[in-house]
Amino acid sequence: RRCGHTALRCSGLRLVRKLQQQLRAGLAMSLTARWLCCSRALAWAGPAAKGRSRWRRLRKIGKYAGPVIVGSCIFITYEILALGESVSLDTQAVEQEKLKSYIYVYTIPLEQQGLEGITNKARKELHRAVKRLVQITAEMFSWPLDEHYMKLDVEDHESGLWLLLKRTQSAVKPVRVQAVQELAKKHHWHDYQYRTLAQACDQKSSIGLARSQDVDLRFFLRPPLPKVIENSCIEDELRYLLASLPQSEVDQCVQYFTSLALRESNQSLSAQRGGLWCFGGNGLPYAQSLSSVPSEKVESFCLQALAKHSKVPSHCDKIVMNGGLQLLQKIYQLRHDSQKIQRNIIRTIGNLALHEHLHSAIAQSGWIGILAEAMKSPHVIQASHAARALANLDRDTVKEKYEDGVYILHPQYRTSQPIKADVLFIHGLLGAAFKTWRQKDHSNMEDKDTNYTECWPKTWLAADCPSLRILSVEYDSNLSDWRSKCPVEDERKSLAYRGRELLTKLKAAGVGDRPVVWIAHSMGGLLVKKMLLDASEDPEMRSVVQNTQGIVFYSVPHSGSRLAEYSVSARFLLFPSVEVKELSKGKIGLSDQLDLLFLCHSVCMSFVHLNCV
């Protein structure tokens, strides 16, 4: 090929040289003829007339011949350069095309492979020796030998890997689940084998591998590179995404959080907008910020508003269509040092995973590998958010759906252990799904204990009782209404509203299908009472009451709290919240009804704090 290109280039140069010679000869002949005509005309004129006419004719010749000569030179130069480029070969472009066809393999030194790599090589050599011995024995005794057996190689990527991959795509669910479980136990393969399987693995198998304990992260493809938008920043893209969401089916709380996110911007961005800017085109303007706000805080407000929108089913489709999955992935990678932002992002992904028609978009955007990596996080909150999202994606082994605020603490991975009962943890005032059930603040511990846990139900109870499903519920609560709040937040903070909302979420999570034990702290005990009373009156929820086998109350104010009465007395100064007002004495009438409801078949234990003098 190189010789052909060289010959073509030489022939082109010869053609250019001949063309140049012909043009030069023609130009010289035309100039000579023109000069002879002028000389003859001058010879017939007189002495004075000859001088004047000579300069006139020279000026005319220069006037007409000059542009022709200059244009001819430019034309010839252009043709030479164009012809040179057409016959020349760009070797750099050829090299780039060759590089695209290469297959890049990540090599791992023998020292990094460890004992497993050495064991695998020894096993392959032993397999070859046995195969050779069988072949020699068959030749000596003239026994028939299966040619298919002799062609098989011990390499996993040629036999075991593809057999397992074929089983993972079986139409029979038990076969598919068992194959994924065996696939997740492979830890001795080469790096290129994991990459090959990651490319050939389907969506269900990838989700099953992500929910397998101790899985190798090389089973998952790296997320695709996000699309780069020139002259754009994360804050702009988040605002555009929020502004693109429709206002239909949006309650006042979602509008409040959206306007709060759009209002928290710095002064320069507000000036670029040209003053006031409205969300959705009407009704939610925000003024220019008086001081600069950190970008991380602005992103946090926007992500909080986006999480609220992800609870609306019609808005989930809009989020995916407008590139929300790719934008959230970009923010997740950029804010790797902010656990709060990453939790809000995974929370939104978990809400989107509630809709099965969006599972393919979530998988194609590379979120499966990110969630599998988050499952291995040492932080309990981070891992639990990822476990909820993957459980909503896994439709092969999980029938339940975990809505926002319901977290599964155990089992977070796929397991063959049958679940015999559910244990639910309900926190109290100013509590949280994980913070309330911590062992102790790590900073206040005098002796650093190696067995310290940030959430003892996940660590201790799951180890002692592996056949239990442990759930933790989270809801917002406040002591005072000093801070700005949602316009309809007072109604949603009441026990009646929260009881109905949590009962619907728990029913979607499968609570009531098996025996249930409730563990509640502080105001959470009152919430459990309200939920059970409401369930006893609803035929669809009655299974929750019938399967309730016990309740454990930790410091629950069954008859009210005196501290709540003090707050209500000073309400014009303290502005107590709805939760505090409902804890005052005389406003809680659930104890008698609960006693009549569970006196026959339930076991209740109550623990209180005693102040010893």
Side-chain angles (χ1 to χ4, degrees):
R1 184 186 299 175
R2 185 177 298 174
C3 295
H5 286 298
T6 306
L8 179 61
R9 187 171 182 177
C10 293
S11 61
L13 293 176
R14 292 172 184 172
L15 180 61
V16 171
R17 291 172 182 173
K18 289 182 179 180
L19 181 60
Q20 289 177 352
Q21 292 175 0
Q22 292 177 0
L23 289 174
R24 290 173 183 171
L27 183 61
M29 291 176 64
S30 62
L31 291 175
T32 304
R34 184 66 178 173
W35 179 258
L36 290 174
C37 293
C38 294
S39 299
R40 288 180 180 178
L42 291 173
W44 291 97
K50 289 182 180 180
R52 290 193 299 269
S53 61
R54 182 183 301 173
W55 288 109
R56 288 176 184 175
R57 293 186 180 278
L58 287 176
R59 284 197 298 269
K60 288 182 179 180
I61 292 172
K63 181 179 180 180
Y64 294 106
V68 175
I69 296 173
V70 174
S72 300
C73 294
I74 294 175
F75 176 75
I76 294 172
T77 305
Y78 171 76
E79 289 295 331
I80 293 173
L81 294 176
L83 185 61
E85 290 181 359
S86 61
V87 299
S88 62
L89 181 63
D90 189 1
T91 57
Q92 186 177 4
V94 175
E95 293 296 330
Q96 291 179 356
E97 292 295 327
K98 290 170 59 179
L99 292 176
K100 290 181 180 179
S101 62
Y102 291 165
I103 298 177
Y104 297 93
V105 178
Y106 297 94
T107 58
I108 301 178
L110 183 62
E111 294 79 5
Q112 298 182 8
Q113 295 182 6
L115 184 60
E116 293 182 355
I118 298 175
T119 305
N120 187 35
K121 288 187 176 181
R123 181 178 61 85
K124 290 190 289 186
E125 294 297 332
L126 181 62
H127 186 276
R128 292 193 181 96
V130 171
K131 187 169 63 173
R132 181 61 180 168
L133 179 62
V134 171
Q135 186 178 6
I136 294 174
T137 305
E139 292 176 357
M140 290 177 57
F141 295 97
S142 300
W143 289 346
L145 186 63
D146 190 0
E147 295 295 333
H148 176 68
Y149 168 75
M150 298 306 300
K151 292 180 180 179
L152 284 177
D153 196 1
V154 73
E155 291 291 340
D156 293 332
H157 71 278
E158 294 181 2
S159 55
L161 185 150
W162 295 111
L163 290 175
L164 277 177
L165 184 62
K166 186 176 181 180
R167 288 173 55 195
T168 58
Q169 300 174 356
S170 173
V172 183
K173 184 183 293 187
V175 175
R176 185 166 64 245
V177 172
Q178 181 65 26
V180 172
Q181 184 178 357
E182 295 178 6
L183 200 62
K185 296 179 180 179
K186 302 298 182 181
H187 298 284
H188 60 274
W189 285 344
H190 298 286
D191 187 75
Y192 74 92
Q193 293 174 298
Y194 287 103
R195 303 297 180 188
T196 303
L197 192 138
Q199 296 178 6
C201 203
D202 61 353
Q203 173 185 323
K204 293 183 178 180
S205 301
S206 298
I207 295 173
L209 289 171
R211 294 198 71 237
S212 300
Q213 195 168 8
D214 299 329
V215 68
D216 198 310
L217 294 178
R218 290 176 292 179
F219 275 114
F220 310 101
L221 292 174
R222 294 178 180 177
L225 295 176
K227 184 179 180 181
V228 179
I229 302 177
E230 296 182 358
N231 300 326
S232 178
C233 63
I234 298 298
E235 299 175 27
D236 286 331
E237 296 182 40
L238 280 172
R239 287 188 182 88
Y240 293 150
L241 180 60
L242 287 175
S244 65
L245 300 178
Q247 284 191 318
S248 61
E249 303 179 11
V250 177
D251 57 18
Q252 296 183 16
C253 279
V254 177
Q255 292 182 359
Y256 165 76
F257 282 108
T258 305
S259 61
L260 183 64
L262 297 176
R263 186 175 65 244
E264 291 295 335
S265 62
N266 56 46
Q267 188 174 0
S268 60
L269 288 177
S270 298
Q272 293 175 5
R273 305 290 185 193
L276 298 180
W277 186 64
C278 299
F279 161 70
N282 59 4
L284 289 176
Y286 75 97
Q288 290 186 353
S289 179
L290 298 178
S291 61
S292 178
V293 181
S295 59
E296 185 174 348
K297 183 179 179 181
V298 176
E299 293 173 11
S300 180
F301 276 106
C302 292
L303 292 173
Q304 185 182 10
L306 194 62
K308 297 291 183 180
H309 280 278
S310 63
K311 296 181 182 180
V312 183
S314 60
H315 290 199
C316 294
D317 297 333
K318 293 291 184 179
I319 292 174
V320 175
M321 289 175 56
N322 296 329
L325 292 173
Q326 291 77 13
L327 176 59
L328 292 176
Q329 188 179 119
K330 185 194 302 184
I331 301 173
Y332 187 89
Q333 295 174 354
L334 291 176
R335 297 296 184 185
H336 58 85
D337 55 342
S338 177
Q339 296 183 17
K340 183 179 179 180
I341 288 181
Q342 290 190 340
R343 285 199 301 267
N344 282 330
I345 293 175
I346 299 179
R347 175 189 173 189
T348 303
I349 298 298
N351 293 340
L352 297 177
L354 291 170
H355 311 284
E356 294 188 26
H357 66 281
L358 299 179
H359 287 184
S360 60
I362 296 174
Q364 292 174 4
S365 59
W367 272 105
I368 305 300
I370 296 176
L371 294 175
E373 184 178 3
M375 284 274 287
K376 298 178 177 292
S377 174
H379 304 286
V380 176
I381 304 178
Q382 201 90 344
S384 299
H385 277 274
R388 169 182 169 259
L390 286 173
N392 289 333
L393 289 170
D394 188 7
R395 297 295 93 191
D396 273 351
T397 60
V398 181
K399 299 182 298 181
E400 302 84 7
K401 291 186 177 181
Y402 300 96
E403 298 188 15
D404 190 29
V406 180
Y407 300 98
I408 179 171
L409 302 181
H410 177 80
Q412 293 185 343
Y413 297 97
R414 282 186 176 183
T415 178
S416 58
Q417 179 80 27
I419 304 299
K420 298 181 179 179
D422 290 337
V423 179
L424 276 73
F425 287 83
I426 315 295
H427 67 82
L429 193 63
L430 294 181
F434 310 97
K435 180 180 69 173
T436 299
W437 314 108
R438 65 191 184 280
Q439 177 185 354
K440 190 179 181 181
D441 291 334
H442 202 281
S443 59
N444 297 333
M445 296 181 64
E446 297 179 358
D447 299 329
K448 302 295 183 180
D449 190 1
T450 56
N451 296 324
Y452 172 78
T453 175
E454 296 179 354
C455 183
W456 61 264
K458 180 181 183 298
T459 306
W460 297 343
L461 185 59
D464 293 340
C465 306
S467 60
L468 297 178
R469 185 179 67 155
I470 305 174
L471 302 178
S472 185
V473 177
E474 188 170 51
Y475 57 92
D476 296 329
S477 60
N478 297 285
L479 288 176
S480 175
D481 287 341
W482 268 101
R483 65 177 185 87
S484 59
K485 57 186 179 60
C486 174
V488 295
E489 198 170 1
D490 289 344
E491 178 187 353
R492 297 189 174 186
K493 284 184 176 181
S494 63
L495 287 175
Y497 183 89
R498 278 182 173 161
R500 291 191 300 268
E501 184 183 26
L502 291 180
L503 190 60
T504 304
K505 292 181 178 181
L506 293 177
K507 187 63 178 178
V511 175
D513 298 340
R514 56 179 70 93
V516 182
V517 177
W518 304 81
I519 301 177
H521 173 254
S522 183
M523 193 186 73
L526 304 180
L527 194 57
V528 170
K529 290 182 180 182
K530 184 59 180 175
M531 284 191 292
L532 294 176
L533 290 175
D534 292 342
S536 64
E537 299 173 356
D538 190 351
E540 297 181 356
M541 302 289 184
R542 197 165 294 168
S543 60
V544 178
V545 181
Q546 294 173 352
N547 284 319
T548 296
Q549 302 299 319
I551 308 175
V552 179
F553 294 111
Y554 282 99
S555 303
V556 176
H558 297 282
S559 302
S561 174
R562 293 183 178 179
L563 294 177
E565 291 184 355
Y566 296 150
S567 299
V568 173
S569 300
R571 58 183 178 276
F572 297 106
L573 179 62
L574 301 177
F575 290 96
S577 61
V578 177
E579 301 97 316
V580 175
K581 293 177 183 178
E582 288 189 339
L583 290 178
S584 60
K585 289 189 175 182
K587 292 191 177 182
I588 301 179
L590 302 175
S591 298
D592 297 337
Q593 301 178 47
L594 186 70
D595 294 339
L596 293 176
L597 187 63
F598 297 102
L599 187 60
C600 300
H601 63 279
S602 296
V603 177
C604 297
M605 293 184 294
S606 184
F607 298 89
V608 298
H609 294 295
L610 296 178
N611 294 326
C612 299
V613 181

